[in-house]
Amino acid sequence: MPPRKGASLQLGWDIGGAHVKACVLADGALSDIAQWPCPLWQGLPHLDAALEQARSRWPAAWQAGARHAATMTGEMVDLFADRGQGVARIATHLEAALAGDIRLFDGDGGWRAPPEAAAHWRGIASANWSATARVLAPRAGDAVLVDIGSTTTDLVPLRGGRVAARGTNDAERLATGELVYHGVVRTPLCALGPRVQWRGERINVMNEFFASTADIYRLTGELDPAHDQAPAANGQGKDAVATRQRLARMVGRDAADASADDWLALAAWWRQAQLREIGMQLERVCAEADVLANAPIIGAGCGAFLAAQLARRLGRPYRRYAEVALPAPPADTALAGWADVCAPAVSVALLAWG
């Protein structure tokens, strides 16, 4: 839904390594959200293309000199020599491309102007999870944020209305289990384990990027096609036949070697392997932070369907990001769903102007 003419516009941005996510607040109310593919490791022109698509979708935001709040994880891609350079170059790029006031979210507290990015890159780098958690904490009190995206999972404990995370950056969060490099689209299947259950046997898998988690959730019917934006591992189609062929390659076979039910069973096994790993890390995070046993899981990301299942397994209540974070959840259920998927972009906008 485009913002109404004459409204005061604020945009929230989450500049990732694989996607750009953005939202528009019109007079403080959520008006629209979108996500575009952005394989940033292939070059900054991909960021330019995503920003141009945003400009085409929301021309009024450029014409009216809207205000922008941004967070990022894209500094991690190997286009950049190091993370500090990545933060600085993305900040410079945003400043050149966006019209109006621009502020960058600093997980250490406060906001930074683009020229300050190089000096404060450590606080800006990969802080999008912190923006989401800071929005939820005072609203939820005690809870656990489980944001399962295309590539990673954030597990953030909230205690007494405060963010109770032990880690503050990617390295620390990997060590504590609060960052799990598992997603429902881009994770190579070989990362889920060296062996699988196949027709009653445990067999080794091929440690090649023959298939990704998108192939699992495409077959199970859980991955929304709108979130299936990354190319398939082999660059081929995303129909059921092509998807089964990629799974078959993982176990040294062709799709014709087994039935559709066999390949669905293999996908279900991999699904359980991923759920088991994320669940193990979630229980670890909850134990370390002494999260209350009845504290809800707040699900976000395009893999929120797994967060809901984890809540059921652990006997915890389940709530969606949109119902907790938004002052007035939109009547448009699709818009609320996109708020769940693009939670950090919505969160930086809410922190800045909500």
Side-chain angles (χ1 to χ4, degrees):
M1 173 173 59
R4 66 175 179 80
K5 188 175 181 179
S8 172
L9 304 181
Q10 303 90 31
L11 277 70
W13 299 88
D14 182 10
I15 310 298
H19 302 92
V20 167
K21 302 173 184 177
C23 76
V24 177
L25 303 184
D27 293 332
L30 186 63
S31 173
D32 198 15
I33 309 176
Q35 171 181 285
W36 299 276
C38 178
L40 190 55
W41 65 92
Q42 296 177 3
L44 284 167
H46 290 282
L47 178 55
D48 293 331
L51 295 174
E52 186 56 38
Q53 289 182 78
R55 183 170 186 157
S56 297
R57 186 179 180 111
W58 303 311
W62 272 257
Q63 296 164 4
R67 294 179 291 171
H68 303 267
T71 185
M72 68 179 73
T73 59
E75 80 285 343
M76 283 292 294
V77 303
D78 50 17
L79 172 68
F80 307 118
D82 54 44
R83 291 172 296 140
Q85 183 193 83
V87 168
R89 289 185 63 185
I90 291 172
T92 299
H93 222 69
L94 291 178
E95 185 177 33
L98 303 179
D101 173 59
I102 304 168
R103 58 185 70 179
L104 304 172
F105 178 71
D106 185 333
D108 291 337
W111 299 88
R112 304 295 179 186
E116 299 177 290
H120 298 279
W121 71 266
R122 292 185 184 277
I124 297 169
S126 295
N128 64 347
W129 65 273
S130 179
T132 304
R134 289 187 187 207
V135 165
L136 292 173
R139 294 165 169 81
D142 291 275
V144 188
L145 166 64
V146 178
D147 186 343
I148 304 176
S150 66
T151 311
T152 63
T153 294
D154 292 312
L155 306 173
V156 189
L158 310 175
R159 290 296 316 273
R162 295 180 178 274
V163 179
R166 295 164 62 215
T168 60
N169 56 47
D170 281 354
E172 293 174 356
R173 298 178 65 239
L174 284 168
T176 63
E178 293 163 350
L179 173 60
V180 186
Y181 245 79
H182 275 248
V184 297
V185 178
R186 300 181 63 244
T187 302
L189 286 191
C190 57
L192 303 187
R195 283 169 290 281
V196 296
Q197 190 78 14
W198 171 251
R199 290 176 165 177
E201 291 185 83
R202 291 278 287 183
I203 64 170
N204 294 339
V205 302
M206 291 191 171
N207 288 318
E208 289 277 1
F209 185 37
F210 284 145
S212 70
T213 44
D215 293 308
I216 296 174
Y217 300 110
R218 204 179 294 120
L219 278 191
T220 64
E222 295 168 293
L223 179 61
D224 188 324
H227 308 150
D228 191 3
Q229 295 183 336
N234 60 356
Q236 301 300 309
K238 297 181 179 180
D239 56 277
V241 173
T243 298
R244 292 185 196 113
Q245 181 63 20
R246 284 188 290 274
L247 292 189
R249 281 285 185 267
M250 292 297 302
V251 292
R253 295 178 178 271
D254 294 309
D257 293 342
S259 68
D261 286 343
D262 286 330
W263 298 123
L264 180 59
L266 181 59
W269 191 94
W270 261 310
R271 179 189 190 279
Q272 290 304 314
Q274 184 167 53
L275 198 66
R276 190 162 51 245
E277 176 63 22
I278 297 174
M280 180 180 69
Q281 299 298 337
L282 176 59
E283 291 188 88
R284 174 188 171 196
V285 167
C286 289
E288 291 286 352
D290 198 23
V291 175
L292 298 178
N294 62 349
I297 284 175
I298 301 176
C302 60
F305 55 86
L306 292 183
Q309 183 166 348
L310 286 169
R312 291 191 295 271
R313 282 192 176 186
L314 298 177
R316 291 182 178 274
Y318 179 75
R319 302 180 71 187
R320 293 172 50 195
Y321 167 84
E323 68 177 285
V324 179
L326 299 180
D332 183 344
T333 56
L335 189 61
W338 274 107
D340 294 337
V341 172
C342 302
V346 176
S347 295
V348 288
L350 292 175
L351 288 172
W353 303 291

